Amino acid sequence: MSLSDEQNRLFDRFVYHLADGARPTRDTFLAFGSLGQLYRLMPSLQANKPDWAPELREALNVRYAERWKKQRAGIVRGTPGLKAKLSVPADQIPKAWQRAIKEMTLARVQVDRGVLTIDDRVPPSRKVIAKLEYTVRQLAFAATDAGLKPALNMQCVRAFLLASKSRKTRPVTRRSRLKELMTFAQWLDEAAHEGIINAMRRHANQLARLAGRQRKRKEDWLIQNPIEVVDCWMIAEEMLQEALAAPSGSNARLDLALDALAIALAINVPLRIGDLHRLQIGNHLTRSFETSTWTIALRCEKMGNEYAAEMWPELTPFIDAVVLAGRPDTVLATRLREVDSQFLFSKHGRKFSELWISKVWYRHIGTGEHIIRTLWHEEALDDADTWMSLVLCGQEGGSRTARHYQVKQQKRLAGKRAKSLMQAARSRRRS
């Protein structure tokens, strides 16, 4: 890339500004000039000192944020988003429901802090509470739409389920919503709601049987799009190489490295996106310079089980590339101190949403991240492989999912055994 005289002069000015020749920081660039000057400096810096480009990129982001804030100053915010079409606002559900959700949320905060309470009720996780609140808002909407007064009774529940079914939701989805309503009823007063809880439980069991006769969406997708774990890994490797070939300090380089990591990490650690998106460097992820590997340790959000493992050495370049963000390997130790406690999946200090990882999988693989959990179970050829898949996915406990895959593997082996016995019998008869 040929540089103009003006670009060369700007680079010389920056070197003079640097004076002592030490590696510049973000603040060094901010002290050097305006947004326009820093933007014009990038090409000459990438040509002469590409290792410094990541710090310049950080300074540019600060300047962009300053400009955006200045442009937005004095602008009155409009009305937020579209009105919900399937639920009522949180302040329009019955007052008793509002109080119950507030109590549940406060109790969860206390439990998370390790504070002992006199309440013998155990609140669900924050994520379940959020889902539960939206479900009761939908219940109130469906009841009102059917001409009923919102209440936790079977009449309103039937209206809710009928409305959900009309939107062609799957039985497994309706069953999940029923389980949330059962949890809510138990929190309100289990004894007072015993009748409705039992009725919902019976209906949930019916939906479970119906769901068992249907394939999951991801299984339908796999039939139409046969793919294996190794195919996903090769896509991630190709993206990492493309990222490392991109200019240092460019957004394209960081974006590609993050996408590559979102796929590669999920292959090695096939947890749910709710766990992967909240991984923090230094807290959940630590690097060993002795073995050149990363380890992971966290409590899984859904089941509450502990997940700990040393990750594959092949994954190290993926995580290192995101941590370094274009910087040379020699500053890795320093960089790890700088990003300590930062979220792994973030960009310039902004954490990505929980759905971001699945969006990456949709973009490059064709479906969401949870397909990798199915793919690992599809790889299982015997009991040892099934156990391996369960451990990888954090399902090795006595959960219903673990039992499902173990039974599925036993059925597969039984089928092979029956086939071999029949072949042997036919061979004997022919002889």
Side-chain angles (χ1 to χ4, degrees), residues 379-414:
E379 292 280 339
L381 299 176
D382 54 29
D383 286 344
D385 287 349
T386 299
W387 180 251
M388 172 200 72
S389 301
L390 290 170
V391 170
L392 278 174
C393 298
Q395 300 166 319
E396 71 273 18
S399 68
R400 183 173 57 86
T401 302
R403 291 194 297 273
H404 163 76
Y405 282 114
Q406 287 166 336
V407 169
K408 184 177 179 179
Q409 178 58 35
Q410 290 298 326
K411 287 180 177 178
R412 187 184 301 164
L413 292 174

Side-chain angles (χ1 to χ4, degrees), residues 52-71:
W52 295 353
E55 282 73 16
L56 174 54
R57 171 57 58 189
E58 291 182 359
L60 278 167
N61 284 318
V62 172
R63 290 286 185 241
Y64 281 127
E66 290 172 349
R67 185 177 70 175
W68 182 86
K69 187 176 181 180
K70 186 176 181 180
Q71 290 172 341

Side-chain angles (χ1 to χ4, degrees), residues 25 100 150 236 254 276-277 350 394:
T25 64
L254 183 54
L276 292 179
H277 95 287
R350 295 190 298 274

Side-chain angles (χ1 to χ4, degrees), residues 76-95:
V76 179
R77 293 185 64 184
T79 54
L82 296 174
K83 184 179 179 181
K85 296 181 179 180
L86 302 174
S87 64
V88 301
D91 59 0
Q92 290 184 21
I93 62 176
K95 296 295 183 184

Side-chain angles (χ1 to χ4, degrees), residues 260-280:
L261 178 59
I263 294 176
L265 178 63
I267 293 171
N268 187 182
V269 184
L271 296 176
R272 297 176 179 87
I273 55 175
D275 292 317
L276 292 179
H277 95 287
R278 61 188 178 89
L279 290 176
Q280 291 175 288

